[in-house]
Amino acid sequence: MSSHRGKVVLVTGAGRGIGQAIADAHAAAGASVAYLDHDPKLAEAASEAARGRGATTLAVAADVADEASVRAAVARVTEAFGPVTVLVNNAGISPKSGADGKRARLGEMGTDEWRRVLDVNLTGAFLCASAVLPGMRAARKGAIVSVSSVAGKTYCDIVGVHYAATKAALIGFTKHLAGELGPDGITVNAVSPGRIDTPLMRGTAPDANEAARMATPLRRLGSPEDVAKTCLFLTSDDAAFVTGQVCDVAGGWLMT
Ligand SMILES: NC(=O)c1ccc[n+]([C@@H]2O[C@H](COP(=O)([O-])OP(=O)(O)OC[C@H]3O[C@@H](n4cnc5c(N)ncnc54)[C@H](O)[C@@H]3O)[C@@H](O)[C@H]2O)c1
């Protein structure tokens, strides 16, 4: 398959989990893909594995919450592959405290934890979109996909209020930018995963994940590849007239 040949793709949080699957799917579809992660070892290993399968990739170590780091990362990708035409804002954190994997509730959560979740999950998307915008504008094309969550659309007992607030905000971010950037030929969409089997999810109490599985009509947890395939559609030319949309990839869980 070469549906993405010629596209320059930047995926954040691509060192493992959903981000790695999204980056791998784009690499397999023929794009040049930058694997950005704040853990350099994860970024390098994921990028190297894809290169071993014949893909064109680059590992980039950066913290999406840090403006200088993001700008340097985008400059590196642009130098290696040309302007970024596809951005996937995937990097995200969902802090769980204690051995039981439960999230902090309001009243237990410190301001530092609140701010860090906003910085990574929301400001990170703003910084990355800002950094790639000049290249997309010049090319008069581009696709931005942000990874939200069903927890951004309805109450979900597994996550904290900081996480839910950022995932809801990414939906507003998506719809607003779809309106603002449409005239530049840039589409902006979001995916909204349910419970997806990744290291992040395994940090949650096992009974909570089993309860989510049983409440999911398709009776399984999602795979990172489930999310990646939907992203791949949204960044493909087949989705050229799709913008401002939020697509659940949740097996029917919560049906938000
Ligand atoms: N797993 C789920 O059930 C689920 C459900 C809904 C939404 N999501 C969202 O999907 C995205 C990926 O989740 P996952 O389950 O693959 O998580 P994960 O923890 O397995 O992977 C996240 C990756 O992001 C990287 N990362 C974290 N902070 C970063 C930062 N500041 N800068 C750059 N990279 C950073 C990590 O090093 C890691 O490689 C997140 O936005 C998450 O909120 C996950």
Side-chain angles (χ1 to χ4, degrees):
M1 186 168 52
S2 60
S3 59
H4 283 62
R5 201 160 295 286
K7 294 187 196 290
V8 176
V9 179
L10 173 61
V11 182
T12 68
R16 70 179 198 192
I18 294 171
Q20 182 178 9
I22 293 170
D24 285 349
H26 284 82
S32 300
V33 181
Y35 287 65
L36 183 152
D37 205 284
H38 72 155
D39 182 328
K41 287 203 183 84
L42 288 180
E44 190 48 61
S47 166
E48 183 62 40
R51 245 194 328 271
R53 296 189 291 272
T56 304
T57 70
L58 177 72
V60 189
D63 178 352
V64 295
D66 181 280
E67 185 166 2
S69 174
V70 168
R71 287 198 179 280
V74 170
R76 246 195 96 202
V77 180
T78 306
E79 194 183 300
F81 296 145
V84 173
T85 51
V86 172
L87 167 68
V88 182
N89 288 313
N90 164 81
I93 54 173
S94 181
K96 303 287 182 322
S97 48
D100 62 356
K102 295 260 162 62
R103 90 285 199 243
R105 291 168 182 271
L106 193 64
E108 303 161 351
M109 183 183 296
T111 310
D112 285 352
E113 184 177 305
W114 165 266
R115 284 196 206 284
R116 182 64 188 161
V117 173
L118 263 70
D119 282 352
V120 175
N121 294 9
L122 182 57
T123 306
F126 161 77
L127 292 175
C128 290
S130 302
V132 301
L133 182 61
M136 287 187 181
R137 274 215 168 113
R140 290 207 56 75
K141 65 178 178 197
I144 298 173
V145 176
S146 297
V147 180
S148 176
S149 168
V150 291
K153 300 205 268 180
T154 190
Y155 178 66
C156 177
D157 192 37
I158 298 169
V159 303
V161 64
H162 42 18
Y163 182 87
T166 59
K167 295 302 179 179
L170 280 176
I171 294 172
F173 176 87
T174 294
K175 294 190 180 202
H176 184 89
L177 285 186
E180 203 170 287
L181 304 183
D184 292 306
I186 301 168
T187 64
V188 189
N189 292 289
V191 292
S192 176
R195 289 311 282 165
I196 310 296
D197 190 2
T198 68
L200 178 142
M201 187 219 74
R202 281 175 230 132
T204 305
D207 58 332
N209 288 324
E210 180 55 16
R213 187 181 75 79
M214 288 312 292
T216 298
L218 291 177
R219 288 293 186 277
R220 67 172 175 91
L221 299 176
S223 69
E225 291 71 28
D226 287 321
V227 182
K229 284 175 192 159
T230 303
C231 278
L232 194 66
F233 167 67
L234 290 172
T235 64
S236 74
D237 294 344
D238 290 341
F241 204 53
V242 179
T243 197
Q245 302 307 301
V246 183
C247 185
D248 282 13
V249 186
W253 187 44
L254 300 173
M255 289 199 212
T256 51

